[in-house]
């Protein structure tokens, strides 16, 4: 049987492991009508109730340059009229969005586009794209520089583009509000927002059905008596808030206006906040203000508690477990403590907490050191965490590791990212046992080394236990560690890193020398992405072409110039001249950041 004659079920199974872009590229040169028909059935032809559209979702985020060129010149030009969702990105693919806008118009080339996701667009690109949108229903804008975006353009997005009902923004500012205008937005997701903007959103977005804010903060200058609350009915049915150090009273005054609320998911992180774990207060709020509420989820993390604080909190924590109000609703609550030097920290949450990537525990770093000894067994104590994606682990000394191992340690089963920091040098063998005991090391893909006291012995113990690690980030100056990695006696460690690493970031303020760059180039041939800083202009000039010439798998390169080199400016013409000197003829796109004196290259 020929490959193209496989049953359709097998074809659909094979294609399920590929993104649409990968599938079309893989089979682009195969001239077979059946394969083309299967691709079309798999990704393209669908019918919505109201118009013809598709299930074709194309993402150009962090793709190699040759894949992008294929997509722009072949796939998009052929299927643009049926693409349902499109993702464009300038992150690790510098200049991609500008290149795309030179070739295509959303209004005329993508008549059935329903979802647009932009990652790190410039302010000018944002203006051009918003003015060109006509049929899109959902927009997602991720940008660390949204504070630079034009508020008038944001007004167009929120108030004048009537097709858009679902909007995701990295940041929301007060000047994004246009009080006299009418918005069709029904679902609003915001990564960062201040308290007064939150109040204004509830008041001004009259059709809003769902609101999610992942980082809600408040200025210390905001006075409770000066807050102007809602003048219009609030129709929000689903509300998610992750608040940071906001006093309970500032949210309590909002709760009476949320009479249509069906689902409330709430997370709070603060130094003080006993009211957030007060059973009586939540019973009063739910019973008096939210008659339609169907689901209540809460996650509280209170920092820097004393033993006296815990004694004061205990009656309310007990009430959550035993009061008939919660028992009748079949709600369970989990309590956990972890210790940070002399401070206790409380984690208290409803179980199960369905939104796994919303609170601090799920999807954000949870900083933990060692659990406190808790003698009271009346409350369910959690030690096994099944939904923590990112753990910030601080190891103080050998004694603390022994204490944790001899008691009932916290166990993290589904980590993807581990940030590791040491307060003192520790036994590498003991640390290896400790790491194996508290984490499922098979799930970790990204290791971040932070702060001091890292040794090649502890690093080696950890790396050999991380079979699926593909990304290493070093955020503090580890010159000695990096030098030791390339010593002859550490060949085993170096081999493991060479076989596994696809992404390497050296992001500390200090710089690495040219010899180290040469070692990385030689021993880590599989790298797809590399970021670092160099101390000398000559090293900078030679390192980039050398990397591009020898690193055949490289897709993204960021090299910064540090030290006293800020006066030695360079241009894109300089870079292309250096490439010619090294006989580099492959296509690439580059962007020079004059603010950081660094260059970003997309290959």
């Amino acid at each position: 049987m020929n490959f193209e004659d496989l049953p359709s079920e097998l074809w659909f199974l094979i294609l399920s492991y590929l993104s649409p872009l990968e599938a079309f590229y893989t089979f682009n040169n195969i001239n077979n009508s059946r394969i083309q028909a299967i691709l079309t059935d798999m990704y393209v032809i669908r019918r919505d109730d109201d118009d013809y559209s598709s299930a074709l979702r194309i993402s150009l985020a962090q793709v190699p340059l040759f894949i992008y060129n294929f997509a722009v010149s072949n796939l998009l030009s052929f299927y643009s009229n049926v693409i349902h969702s499109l993702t464009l990105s300038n992150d690790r693919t510098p200049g991609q969005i500008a290149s795309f806008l030179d070739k295509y118009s959303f209004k005329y080339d993508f008549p059935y586009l329903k979802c647009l996701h932009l990652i790190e667009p410039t302010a000018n690109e944002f203006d051009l794209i918003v003015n060109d949108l006509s049929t899109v229903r959902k927009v997602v804008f991720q940008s660390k520089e949204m504070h630079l975006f034009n508020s008038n353009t944001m007004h167009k997005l929120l108030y004048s583009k009537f097709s858009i009902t679902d909007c995701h923004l990295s940041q929301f500012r007060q000047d994004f509000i246009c009080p006299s205008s009418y918005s069709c937005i029904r679902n609003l997701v915001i990564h960062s927002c201040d308290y007064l903007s939150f109040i204004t959103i509830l008041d001004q977005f009259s059709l809003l059905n769902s609101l999610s804010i992942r980082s809600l903060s408040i200025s210390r200058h905001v006075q409770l008596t000066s807050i102007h609350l809602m003048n219009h009915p609030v129709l929000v049915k689903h509300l998610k808030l992750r608040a940071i150090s906001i006093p309970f009273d500032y949210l309590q005054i909002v709760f009476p206006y949320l009479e249509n609320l069906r689902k409330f998911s709430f997370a709070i992180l603060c130094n003080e906040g006993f009211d957030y774990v007060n059973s009586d207060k939540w019973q009063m709020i739910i019973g008096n203000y939210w008659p339609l509420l169907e689901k209540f989820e809460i996650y509280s993390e209170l920092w820097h508690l004393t033993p006296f604080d815990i004694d004061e909190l205990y009656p309310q924590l007990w009430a959550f477990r035993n009061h008939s109000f919660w028992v009748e609703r079949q709600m369970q609550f989990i309590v956990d403590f972890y210790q940070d030097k002399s401070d206790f920290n409380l984690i208290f949450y409803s179980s199960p907490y369905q939104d796994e990537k919303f609170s601090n525990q799920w999807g954000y770093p949870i900083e933990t050191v060692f659990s406190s000894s808790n003698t009271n067994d009346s409350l369910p104590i959690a030690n096994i965490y099944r939904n923590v994606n990112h753990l910030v682990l601080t190891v103080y000394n050998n004694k603390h590791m022994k204490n944790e191992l001899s008691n009932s340690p916290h166990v993290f089963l589904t980590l993807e990212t581990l940030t590791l920091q040491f307060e003192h040098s520790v036994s590498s063998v003991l640390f290896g046992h400790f790491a194996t005991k508290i984490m499922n090391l098979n799930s970790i893909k990204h290791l971040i080394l932070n702060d001091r006291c890292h040794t090649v012995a502890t690093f080696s113990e950890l790396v050999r236990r991380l079979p699926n690690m593909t990304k290493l980030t070093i955020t503090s100056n580890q010159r000695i560690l990096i030098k030791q990695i390339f010593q002859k006696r550490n060949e085993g460690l170096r081999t493991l890193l060479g076989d596994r690493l696809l992404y390497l970031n050296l992001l500390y303020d200090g710089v690495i020398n040219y010899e180290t760059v040469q070692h990385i180039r030689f021993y880590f041939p599989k790298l797809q992405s590399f970021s670092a800083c160099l101390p000398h202009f000559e090293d900078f000039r030679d390192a980039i072409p050398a990397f591009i010439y020898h690193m055949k798998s490289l897709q993204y390169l960021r090299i910064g110039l540090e030290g006293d080199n800020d006066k030695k400016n360079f241009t894109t013409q300089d870079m292309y001249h250096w490439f010619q000197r090294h006989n580099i003829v492959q296509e690439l796109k580059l962007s020079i950041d004059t603010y950081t004196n660094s260059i970003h290259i997309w290959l």
Side-chain angles (χ1 to χ4, degrees):
M1 178 183 291
N2 294 326
F3 181 65
E4 55 267 26
D5 295 328
L6 289 173
S8 298
E9 292 78 6
L10 280 179
W11 269 103
F12 287 120
L13 179 63
I14 293 170
L15 292 176
S16 68
Y17 288 94
L18 301 175
S19 70
L21 185 55
E22 291 171 332
F24 280 106
Y25 179 81
T26 300
F27 299 104
N28 180 53
N29 294 321
I30 298 179
N31 186 17
N32 183 286
S33 58
R34 181 168 180 265
I35 293 178
Q36 296 303 317
I38 289 174
L39 287 172
T40 300
D41 289 341
M42 180 76 177
Y43 298 117
V44 180
I45 300 179
R46 299 289 188 277
R47 290 189 179 276
D48 291 341
D49 293 336
D50 53 345
D51 59 5
Y52 174 82
S53 186
S54 77
L56 184 56
R57 292 169 168 81
I58 300 298
S59 174
L60 299 180
Q62 299 188 15
V63 297
L65 186 56
F66 72 91
I67 292 290
Y68 169 79
N69 289 335
F70 163 77
V72 170
S73 60
N74 293 277
L75 184 63
L76 296 183
S77 60
F78 188 77
Y79 290 110
S80 64
N81 64 324
V82 292
I83 289 178
H84 177 87
S85 173
L86 179 64
T87 299
L88 302 174
S89 173
N90 285 334
D91 181 31
R92 298 182 181 271
T93 51
Q96 182 190 104
I97 296 178
S99 173
F100 178 89
L101 294 177
D102 286 340
K103 299 177 176 63
Y104 291 102
S105 162
F106 290 104
K107 184 176 181 179
Y108 297 108
D109 296 317
F110 296 88
Y112 293 106
L113 186 67
K114 295 297 182 289
C115 178
L116 177 62
H117 187 175
L118 298 180
I119 303 173
E120 301 301 334
T122 65
N124 183 58
E125 291 165 352
F126 176 75
D127 292 344
L128 293 173
I129 291 171
V130 169
N131 289 325
D132 198 35
L133 296 179
S134 58
T135 62
V136 172
R137 296 175 182 171
K138 177 180 179 179
V139 292
V140 181
F141 290 110
Q142 290 179 232
S143 175
K144 293 185 288 291
E145 298 184 346
M146 192 160 282
H147 60 282
L148 300 176
F149 285 14
N150 189 307
S151 59
N152 291 328
T153 306
M154 190 61 69
H155 292 164
K156 291 182 181 179
L157 175 71
L158 297 174
Y159 297 99
S160 299
K161 298 296 179 177
F162 300 117
S163 67
I164 298 176
T165 58
D166 191 347
C167 184
H168 298 230
L169 301 173
S170 295
Q171 182 185 15
F172 197 98
R173 305 196 313 253
Q174 190 74 12
D175 62 347
F176 289 174
I177 297 289
C178 189
S180 59
S181 299
Y182 176 86
S183 176
C184 291
I185 302 296
R186 295 179 179 271
N187 179 43
L188 184 59
V189 177
I190 303 169
H191 184 273
S192 176
C193 180
D194 68 273
Y195 174 81
L196 293 181
S197 294
F198 162 63
I199 298 295
T200 309
I201 289 170
L202 290 176
D203 188 39
Q204 296 292 329
F205 284 69
S206 57
L207 294 183
L208 198 61
N209 180 72
S210 175
L211 175 62
S212 173
I213 301 177
R214 297 184 180 273
S215 181
L216 180 64
S217 58
I218 189 169
S219 169
R220 60 183 179 181
H221 302 297
V222 176
Q223 300 297 319
L224 193 63
T225 56
S226 64
I227 298 172
H228 298 287
L229 293 174
M230 276 62 74
N231 296 315
H232 305 93
V234 179
L235 301 181
V236 171
K237 296 179 181 178
H238 304 283
L239 180 62
K240 297 180 182 181
L241 297 177
R242 178 176 177 265
I244 301 174
S245 298
I246 295 181
F248 184 83
D249 291 344
Y250 283 78
L251 292 176
Q252 187 175 14
I253 63 172
V254 179
F255 292 154
Y257 295 89
L258 305 177
E259 57 186 18
N260 292 294
L261 208 58
R262 262 71 164 183
K263 179 179 179 180
F264 182 63
S265 299
F266 179 72
I268 177 67
L269 294 81
C270 59
N271 290 327
E272 299 178 0
F274 289 8
D275 286 338
Y276 287 111
V277 291
N278 187 307
S279 174
D280 295 335
K281 287 185 179 292
W282 285 118
Q283 290 180 49
M284 182 275 294
I285 291 167
I286 295 173
N288 293 343
Y289 305 139
W290 301 341
L292 303 177
L293 190 70
E294 299 170 358
K295 184 173 287 293
F296 176 77
E297 299 176 337
I298 185 172
Y299 173 95
S300 301
E301 189 165 333
L302 307 185
W303 305 320
H304 310 309
L305 303 178
T306 67
F308 298 104
D309 294 330
I310 295 176
D311 290 340
E312 182 180 344
L313 285 170
Y314 181 77
Q316 286 300 326
L317 298 178
W318 175 260
F320 275 105
R321 175 173 171 80
N322 290 283
H323 198 284
S324 60
F325 182 89
W326 306 109
V327 174
E328 291 170 359
R329 288 164 175 77
Q330 299 182 335
M331 293 195 64
Q332 296 182 348
F333 297 88
I334 302 296
V335 178
D336 192 15
F337 295 96
Y338 64 93
Q339 189 173 352
D340 183 1
K341 296 185 179 179
S342 61
D343 294 325
F344 288 100
N345 305 281
L346 167 70
I347 295 176
F348 174 79
Y349 61 95
S350 55
S351 177
Y353 196 104
Q354 299 294 335
D355 197 345
E356 298 178 357
K357 294 185 178 181
F358 184 69
S359 70
N360 189 57
Q361 180 184 342
W362 293 279
Y364 292 86
I366 173 174
E367 297 193 18
T368 186
V369 188
F370 302 102
S371 58
S372 64
S373 57
N374 194 313
T375 59
N376 196 313
D377 296 327
S378 299
L379 290 167
I381 303 296
N383 291 101
I384 297 177
Y385 290 88
R386 302 181 185 279
N387 297 311
V388 180
N389 296 328
H390 184 178
L391 174 67
V392 180
L393 177 64
T394 302
V395 179
Y396 284 133
N397 50 40
N398 291 332
K399 179 181 178 181
H400 282 146
M401 285 193 293
K402 290 178 181 178
N403 289 340
E404 182 78 353
L405 289 172
S406 63
N407 296 314
S408 178
H410 294 82
V411 179
F412 301 90
L413 299 180
T414 56
L415 293 180
E416 294 182 1
T417 300
L418 171 63
T419 296
L420 179 64
Q421 51 198 33
F422 294 94
E423 286 291 310
H424 302 280
S425 297
V426 300
S427 163
S428 60
V429 175
L430 180 61
F431 172 70
H433 292 311
F434 173 69
T436 303
K437 182 77 171 179
I438 71 168
M439 292 177 282
N440 174 17
L441 298 175
N442 291 329
S443 66
I444 296 175
K445 300 177 182 178
H446 184 191
L447 175 62
I448 303 173
L449 302 185
N450 191 26
D451 215 347
R452 52 183 180 165
C453 297
H454 291 276
T455 66
V456 71
T458 54
F459 182 57
S460 181
E461 282 289 333
L462 186 57
V463 168
R464 69 184 183 88
R465 290 173 164 84
L466 300 177
N468 297 309
M469 182 187 76
T470 59
K471 186 174 183 178
L472 174 63
T473 298
I474 300 179
T475 62
S476 55
N477 197 333
Q478 303 289 341
R479 294 188 189 183
I480 296 177
L481 174 62
I482 293 173
K483 184 177 181 180
Q484 290 175 334
I485 290 173
F486 298 107
Q487 292 176 349
K488 185 176 181 180
R489 62 183 177 179
N490 295 312
E491 181 179 357
L493 170 62
R494 193 167 58 246
T495 300
L496 288 176
L497 292 173
D499 289 340
R500 297 172 185 173
L501 284 186
L502 301 179
Y503 311 92
L504 178 60
N505 305 307
L506 305 179
L507 302 181
Y508 49 82
D509 293 335
V511 293
I512 62 174
N513 57 39
Y514 185 63
E515 180 183 5
T516 302
V517 175
Q518 295 294 78
H519 284 316
I520 292 172
R521 190 193 76 188
F522 182 78
Y523 290 111
F524 301 158
K526 296 181 180 180
L527 283 184
Q528 296 178 9
S529 173
F530 177 63
S531 301
C533 296
L534 293 175
H536 304 296
F537 184 75
E538 291 75 16
D539 290 348
F540 183 83
R541 179 190 62 200
D542 296 333
I544 296 176
F547 249 80
I548 294 176
Y549 185 81
H550 292 281
M551 304 289 283
K552 302 303 181 183
S553 298
L554 200 65
Q555 299 175 14
Y556 173 75
L557 176 65
R558 177 193 178 275
I559 298 291
L561 186 63
E562 295 287 344
D564 298 325
N565 294 285
D566 56 334
K567 295 182 180 179
K568 292 191 175 182
N569 296 321
F570 46 88
T571 66
T572 54
Q573 288 76 16
D574 295 329
M575 294 303 304
Y576 285 118
H577 176 68
W578 300 338
F579 297 151
Q580 291 175 359
R581 282 177 44 195
H582 288 75
N583 298 318
I584 296 174
V585 296
Q586 69 188 93
E587 185 179 3
L588 52 87
K589 291 184 181 294
L590 59 88
S591 172
I592 293 178
D593 187 339
T594 57
Y595 181 75
T596 60
N597 216 22
S598 61
I599 188 168
H600 304 256
I601 299 180
W602 176 24
L603 298 143

